[in-house]
Amino acid sequence: MSKHTVKTIQAMRDNKEIITMLTAYDYPTAKKVNDAGIDMILVGDSCAMVVHGHPNTLTATMDMMVLHCGSVARACDRTMVIADMPFGSFQYSVEDTMKNAARFVTEAGVDGVKFEATHNHIEKTKAVVEMGIACVGHVGLHPQAVGALGGLKAQGRDITSARKVVSEALALQNAGCFSIIFEAVPTKLADYVTKKLDIPTISIGGGPKCSGQLLVTPDVLGLYDNFIPGFAKKYVDVGQIMTDTFKLYATEVREGLFPEKKHSYGMSDEVLEAIVKEFG
Ligand code: KIV
């Protein structure tokens, strides 16, 4: 199958085929995600937390994200790769936003960008779309606003917050986004907006009624437990498998069981004798 595009993702939504999306931050993981037939990858700024060990996403930088995006993009011949624009890369000006979005395309080779645009960033969204860059919106919980929100909390539960989710989603569709991520919002609200929009909605904590589902891959694999959101599902404990494997390796090394002959290189006795003669 050829690579997903805005057109094939829209066709999936129109045909009521559920869109699958995961995050990835490196080449080997992205290759497995691609080979598993996942439709879209988000190179999320969650990278700052789950890869770099920071307490939140605010420390992700353009250079960090471009580097990770490049390694993910090189692994994907089928999965559509979306770069997450980090804090500070789209907040200042339309021109900055355009330049930073362009870096993801020219330096990393991604297929599109996403940013945590609010009503204040609609002109910037339009400008990125106008450049010809596929753009994903993001409503509900904006982890980059963790300070103002007072924590990573579900959004859209009261009338003011619900109105913000609905009106931002409509404005982002209007601005040209080809898809919108709904993070940590009530199922009923995500369902309502999904029916109102003409573009695919992707849920991460937005319930089962969206056009697609997204999870953070280290949550899926059990590789990150500093913060486990309510919407996360651990499918396998790779973290435990890794710890057990590293312990087994240490035991084998300490007991002289590794390396075996097949892991070692040979040389002729003559060469060794010559070396001993020369060096004593
Ligand atoms: O950075 C990320 O992984 C995200 C998702 C949680 C939507 O933005």
Side-chain angles (χ1 to χ4, degrees):
M1 196 202 151
S2 53
K3 199 165 198 194
H4 270 301
T5 65
V6 292
K7 287 222 164 90
T8 60
I9 296 296
Q10 180 69 41
M12 285 184 76
R13 177 254 178 214
D14 295 344
N15 297 329
K16 300 203 179 333
E17 279 176 66
I18 299 175
I19 300 157
T20 54
M21 188 171 194
L22 284 170
T23 67
Y25 316 94
D26 61 70
Y27 180 87
T29 310
K31 195 145 181 44
K32 299 291 179 220
V33 172
N34 177 80
D35 295 352
I38 299 297
D39 303 306
M40 297 172 79
I41 283 179
L42 174 68
V43 188
D45 63 352
S46 47
C47 176
M49 298 172 74
V50 301
V51 177
H52 293 270
H54 293 283
N56 55 50
T57 62
L58 295 173
T59 43
T61 64
M62 275 302 297
D63 287 346
M64 178 197 288
M65 294 305 298
V66 168
L67 190 69
H68 286 284
C69 283
S71 60
V72 169
R74 287 189 287 279
C76 295
D77 59 5
R78 179 191 181 278
T79 305
M80 186 175 193
V81 178
I82 304 297
D84 199 4
M85 295 186 61
F87 183 69
S89 69
F90 64 91
Q91 281 87 350
Y92 296 115
S93 67
V94 172
E95 197 179 308
D96 266 5
T97 309
M98 291 167 77
K99 280 187 184 154
N100 285 325
R103 273 193 72 188
F104 282 113
V105 177
T106 57
E107 294 179 39
V110 301
D111 305 304
V113 301
K114 169 198 89 90
F115 49 108
E116 296 181 11
T118 64
H119 282 298
N120 291 332
H121 308 112
I122 296 304
E123 285 317 306
K124 293 162 187 158
T125 307
K126 281 185 186 161
V128 171
V129 173
E130 193 58 36
M131 290 171 82
I133 299 177
C135 197
V136 176
H138 181 166
V139 299
L141 174 59
H142 282 169
Q144 291 176 14
V146 62
L149 294 172
L152 298 174
K153 296 174 181 160
Q155 302 296 306
R157 293 176 117 160
D158 60 60
I159 180 68
T160 311
S161 177
R163 191 179 284 128
K164 184 170 183 313
V165 169
V166 178
S167 59
E168 280 179 357
L170 291 169
L172 289 165
Q173 171 175 273
N174 220 21
C177 286
F178 78 94
S179 175
I180 300 180
I181 289 172
F182 283 67
E183 179 167 354
V185 295
T187 302
K188 282 183 196 165
L189 189 66
D191 183 27
Y192 169 76
V193 190
T194 295
K195 287 181 181 138
K196 266 191 105 53
L197 296 179
D198 300 317
I199 57 174
T201 58
I202 311 281
S203 156
I204 177 159
K209 305 278 180 71
C210 288
S211 326
Q213 294 293 325
L214 164 64
L215 279 177
V216 171
T217 293
D219 292 339
V220 172
L221 299 178
L223 281 174
Y224 182 80
D225 48 22
N226 294 6
F227 172 72
I228 302 173
F231 53 69
K233 178 169 177 182
K234 188 196 282 189
Y235 280 79
V236 59
D237 201 343
V238 174
Q240 192 57 51
I241 294 171
M242 287 171 79
T243 306
D244 292 346
T245 306
F246 300 150
K247 281 184 181 168
L248 178 62
Y249 164 73
T251 303
E252 288 203 354
V253 169
R254 288 177 190 133
E255 293 180 359
L257 298 169
F258 179 84
E260 296 167 51
K261 199 167 178 203
K262 64 182 174 198
H263 307 118
S264 311
Y265 301 92
M267 81 193 281
S268 73
D269 290 344
E270 289 78 42
V271 174
L272 185 61
E273 275 160 25
I275 288 293
V276 173
K277 224 184 229 170
E278 192 175 329
F279 292 93

